[in-house]
Amino acid sequence: MKVKRIVTNIEATDVAEAKRFYQDILGMELLMDHGWIATYGTEETMRPQVSFASEGGSGTPVPDLSIEVDDVDEACRRMQEGGFRIEYGPADEPWGVRRFYVRDPFGRLLNILEH
């Protein structure tokens, strides 16, 4: 038996609110929409990962979700233009990533990073 995919489910009172953040700003594609659930993704091949942490690194809180992008500075710019407040960073971390923290429309703390 092997794990093929890991899906994050975020509780949302208005699932349509996810479009502006995840599709319009982060550029993810709408893969499924049943009204009560909307799934966003990409065609990129990814390895399933689950992390367990006592802190988020550099003394930050543990984020709910980490999203790796190819241009963290562009992602940060889009977040700010979209009216989302950056809570940490952008920062070059000693373990080799550049990242920032932002909250999605549902209050989840996201770690947006680039290796």
Side-chain angles (χ1 to χ4, degrees):
M1 195 280 306
K2 66 179 176 178
V3 174
K4 293 176 61 178
R5 179 170 54 153
I6 295 173
V7 176
T8 300
N9 297 307
I10 297 173
E11 183 178 357
T13 53
D14 181 4
V15 294
E17 185 65 20
K19 180 187 181 298
R20 185 167 77 96
F21 189 92
Y22 289 95
Q23 186 173 32
D24 297 346
I25 294 176
L26 285 177
M28 297 177 78
E29 301 168 35
L30 179 64
L31 303 178
M32 176 183 72
D33 186 354
H34 293 306
W36 57 272
I37 185 172
T39 301
Y40 293 86
T42 71
E43 296 299 320
E44 295 292 320
T45 300
M46 296 176 260
R47 295 184 317 249
Q49 295 180 330
V50 179
S51 297
F52 302 90
S54 60
E55 69 159 280
S58 295
T60 64
V62 176
D64 296 301
L65 185 63
S66 291
I67 299 175
E68 184 177 352
V69 297
D70 64 354
D71 188 338
V72 76
D73 293 313
E74 174 66 12
C76 187
R77 185 189 65 75
R78 289 182 184 189
M79 290 295 171
Q80 290 171 320
E81 286 180 357
F84 294 96
R85 186 174 70 82
I86 305 306
E87 295 196 10
Y88 173 77
D92 294 313
E93 301 291 6
W95 55 90
V97 300
R98 181 163 174 77
R99 69 181 182 152
F100 67 91
Y101 280 11
V102 64
R103 290 196 185 271
D104 76 1
F106 315 108
R108 301 292 186 217
L109 185 62
L110 303 186
N111 173 36
I112 310 291
L113 68 118
E114 176 183 0
H115 276 97

